[in-house]
Amino acid sequence: MTGRTKYVLDETELPARWYNLVADLPAPPPPPLHPATRQPVGPEDLAPLFPAGLIEQEVSGERYVDIPEEVLEVYRLWRPTPLYRAHRLERALGTPAHIYYKYEGVSPVGSHKPNTAVPQAYYNAREGVRKLTTETGAGQWGSALAFACATFGLECEVWQVRASYDQKPYRKIMMETFGATVHPSPSEETAAGRAVLAADPASPGSLGIAISEAVEKAAADPDTRYALGSVLNHVLLHQTVIGEEALKQCALAGETPDVLIGCTGGGSNFGGLAFPFLREKLAGRMSPEIRAVEPAACPTLTRGRYAYDFGDTAGLTPLLKMHTLGHDFVPDPIHAGGLRYHGMAPLISHVHELGLMDAVAIGQRECFAAGVAFARSEGIIPAPEPTHAVAECIREALRCKETGEEKVILTALCGHAHLDLPAYAAYLSGAMEDHELPEAALTEALAGVPRP
Ligand SMILES: *Cc1c(COP(=O)(O)O)cnc(C)c1O
C-alpha cells in the first residue's frame, strides 16, 4: 500500500511573511552599479522604474517582510498550493527514491508568476501608479501581470518576444481577457525595438530586447512603472511562499529533502523553493543538496561568466553582478521560452559563488522525454521549463536505483503546459532539436560583457 499522495495546507497556514535570504548569508551580494558612474545605484536611480515599496524590498537586509493583507486576500484564490508525492512516477522508474513536487500550476494563469505579480501590482497601485509595462517570453509572466493589474485596477502593456507571440496566440488572448495591451517584440513602438528591426527585420526577439522596450516606455511616462517577473531580489523574496509552504508540507509527510531541484530561467521559482530550505541548511537543521537545471541552449550558470552585465539588450538597466552569457546573446528559439534569458538572478549567482548550490544543463529532448514520462504517470503535463527539473529528478531517481539509496527529492513543478502543447507536438513528431550552445557562439556573446 502506498501512503498519501497530496499534502494540502489549510488557508490559515498561508505564510504571513516573505523570507529574505540576504539576512542569513555569510556575505552580502555585490550591489547593482550605475552604468555611467560604476557606483552602487541609489533608490533615486530606481524610482523612475519601481515604486518605493518594492525598492525598499530590493535593498532590504531584514530577514522577514510581512505580506500585506490585500495581497494575502488574492493569494487565497489558489494558495496554499499542494505538495504531491509522485508515487506513480517512482513506480514507473523502479526507484527507491521518494519524489515530491510542489505544484504551482494551480494558479489562475498556470504558473508561479502570480506570487510576485500580485504584490508588485499592489505596491504600485498603493503609490498611485496608473500603468505597468513589462516583457514576456513564454507568456506566463505577461499573463500573471495582466491578471494582477486587473485585480488592483492598473493598466498593463506587454512586449511579448516575437517567437513566442507567433507560437502562442492563446497567451495573448489570456492577457487581453485580463485587459492588457500586447505588442510583439521587437516592435515599432520604441527606439530600442526599431533599432533591432532595422538591423534584422526578421528578429525572433529575446527577453533582453523586450525588457529594453518595456523599460523605455515606463521611463518616459511619470504615471507608468515597469515590472520584472524574475531576476531581482524582491521577485525572489515574493516567491519564497513556495518554499515556506513546502517546508510545512514536508514536515506533514515526515520527510526531510536530500536533494532540491528546480529549473532556472532568471531563478525565481528555484529561489522561491530553495531559499527557505537554505535558511534551514545554514542553521544546521537539514543538509539538502540544492541544484539548478538550465537548458543546454542557454547555460547561464554552467557556462556563463560571473561579471557585471546589463539586464537588457540596449543597456538601459543598471549593471548586475551575475552569471551571464552577454547581454547581446540571443538564444536559439527553444520551447522553454521562460528559460531563454542571458543572465541569472544576482542572488542565485552569489549563492552559487558561495558554493551553496550546484547547477547542470540538459538538452531539450531529454527534458521533453521526462515531461512525457511525468504526464503518463502523474497526469500533469509539465510546462516546458519545469521539464528540465523533472529530467534531473529522473536522473537522480535512476542513480538511486543503482545505489539503492532512498533519497528524498523535492522539486518545484512551477507550471503546466496547457498553453504550450505545440512544444509537445514538436517533440512527439520527432522534429525537436537539442540546440547545444556552440563554443564559438559563446565566446562571441561573452565579448559583449562590459569591461570592469
Ligand atoms: C517564467 C517561468 C520560468 C522561468 O523563470 P524563473 O524566474 O527562473 O522561475 C520557469 N517556469 C515557468 C513555468 C515560468 O513561467
Side-chain angles (χ1 to χ4, degrees), residues 112 230-231 236 239 263-272 275 343-345 348:
H112 64 292
S230 185
V231 177
L236 274 62
Q239 292 293 354
C263 68
T264 44
S268 75
N269 87 83
F270 172 78
F275 287 176
M344 183 52 57
I348 301 277

Side-chain angles (χ1 to χ4, degrees), residues 53-341:
L54 293 175
I55 295 173
E56 206 177 292
Q57 293 177 0
E58 188 61 24
V59 299
S60 171
E62 291 294 315
R63 184 168 283 111
Y64 293 101
V65 176
D66 286 337
I67 306 178
E69 178 49 38
E70 292 87 340
V71 171
L72 287 172
E73 193 210 325
V74 183
Y75 274 179
R76 281 187 209 108
L77 294 175
W78 73 96
R79 304 209 70 85
T81 62
L83 178 78
Y84 285 81
R85 169 88 185 262
H87 288 296
R88 298 176 51 82
L89 178 64
E90 289 169 19
R91 231 181 295 140
L93 297 171
T95 179
H98 299 186
I99 304 174
Y100 289 85
Y101 56 98
K102 177 75 168 154
Y103 186 43
E104 292 294 310
V106 294
S107 86
V109 303
S111 75
H112 64 292
K113 295 291 199 321
N115 296 335
T116 183
V118 170
Q120 290 194 43
Y122 165 76
Y123 288 106
N124 276 286
R126 194 186 67 173
E127 293 179 31
V129 172
R130 203 177 45 78
K131 184 205 265 191
L132 290 179
T133 65
T134 199
E135 73 293 333
T136 195
Q140 288 276 15
W141 170 241
S143 309
L145 194 69
F147 155 68
C149 284
T151 308
F152 291 103
L154 296 170
E155 285 179 44
C156 182
E157 195 170 358
V158 182
W159 276 263
Q160 184 173 11
V161 173
R162 179 93 231 182
S164 150
Y165 184 90
D166 293 337
Q167 275 168 15
K168 302 189 171 184
Y170 295 123
R171 278 288 165 198
K172 173 168 177 273
I173 298 168
M174 186 185 259
M175 290 185 261
E176 289 173 345
T177 302
F178 286 124
T181 305
V182 186
H183 311 284
S185 170
S187 77
E188 297 285 350
E189 302 282 319
T190 65
R194 288 189 293 273
V196 175
L197 286 172
D200 178 9
S203 167
S206 70
L207 276 174
I209 297 167
I211 293 173
S212 296
E213 295 203 84
V215 166
E216 182 185 323
K217 250 317 183 33
D221 176 356
D223 292 332
T224 300
R225 293 288 181 280
Y226 164 71
L228 189 61
S230 185
V231 177
L232 297 179
N233 296 347
H234 67 269
V235 178
L236 274 62
L237 174 83
H238 299 153
Q239 292 293 354
T240 58
V241 288
I242 301 173
E244 294 289 14
E245 289 178 7
L247 270 170
K248 292 188 188 177
Q249 288 161 311
C250 285
L252 278 182
E255 301 252 49
T256 309
D258 298 301
V259 191
L260 247 80
I261 294 171
C263 68
T264 44
S268 75
N269 87 83
F270 172 78
L273 176 72
F275 287 176
F277 286 87
L278 188 49
R279 171 188 65 213
E280 300 304 303
K281 182 173 176 169
L282 290 167
R285 289 188 282 266
M286 55 175 73
S287 54
E289 285 177 50
I290 300 178
R291 191 173 307 144
V293 191
E294 54 189 17
C298 193
T300 319
L301 280 168
T302 51
R303 292 174 67 197
R305 182 182 298 161
Y306 185 51
Y308 273 104
D309 196 6
F310 295 106
D312 70 322
T313 301
L316 301 175
T317 70
L319 289 163
L320 304 172
K321 183 92 185 259
M322 60 184 175
H323 289 82
T324 179
L325 298 168
H327 61 278
D328 297 325
F329 180 67
V330 178
D332 278 326
I334 54 165
H335 290 278
L339 306 185
R340 293 177 71 234
Y341 182 60

